Amino acid sequence: HPKSSLLFSPYGVLVNLINHSTKPNTKIQWSKQQRHPEWFNMTTNKTSHIDNNSGDLIRIMEQTKHSGLSMDFIALRDIQEGEEITIHYGLSWIHAWEQ
């Protein structure tokens, strides 16, 4: 979302194999099982390294040694063995790529 201050940094071997398509076979959504669901209600503070605010999401995420928010990849249809898994990256990504 253009107004979000969250930056997703997916990690793991398989996530690197998911590509963009305008006709995706998969979507992403927030997982129902979150390690830190309270992070959804926290704010970001760009001076977190200075003010040491205990409620600051960025500072907490920097100090956490595991993932706190998870997303699930949901099939939109049956996916055949050997078929590439794709998601739609969004119109903002498409426009930026075309420039």
Side-chain angles (χ1 to χ4, degrees):
H1 188 280
K3 295 181 182 178
S4 175
S5 58
L6 280 177
L7 172 65
F8 290 107
S9 298
Y11 64 93
V13 177
L14 298 178
V15 76
N16 295 330
L17 302 175
I18 298 171
N19 288 310
H20 166 73
S21 173
T22 55
K23 296 179 181 177
N25 56 21
T26 306
K27 68 176 183 174
I28 56 174
Q29 68 183 28
W30 290 112
S31 178
K32 292 179 182 171
Q33 297 178 352
Q34 297 290 339
R35 185 175 271 180
H36 293 287
E38 68 277 8
W39 287 7
F40 284 118
N41 299 317
M42 298 178 80
T43 61
T44 57
N45 180 345
K46 296 184 185 204
T47 60
S48 63
H49 62 285
I50 298 169
D51 67 17
N52 202 25
N53 179 352
S54 63
D56 176 49
L57 179 58
I58 292 174
R59 186 183 65 77
I60 291 170
M61 290 176 87
E62 288 173 344
Q63 295 174 354
T64 302
K65 304 297 183 204
H66 57 265
S67 62
L69 298 177
S70 301
M71 301 193 90
D72 293 330
F73 291 84
I74 309 297
L76 298 172
R77 59 171 176 76
D78 289 343
I79 299 173
Q80 302 304 310
E81 183 177 338
E83 181 180 358
E84 181 178 36
I85 296 176
T86 59
I87 60 174
H88 193 297
Y89 290 176
L91 295 177
S92 295
W93 181 88
I94 292 172
H95 295 311
W97 179 262
E98 291 172 347
Q99 293 178 1

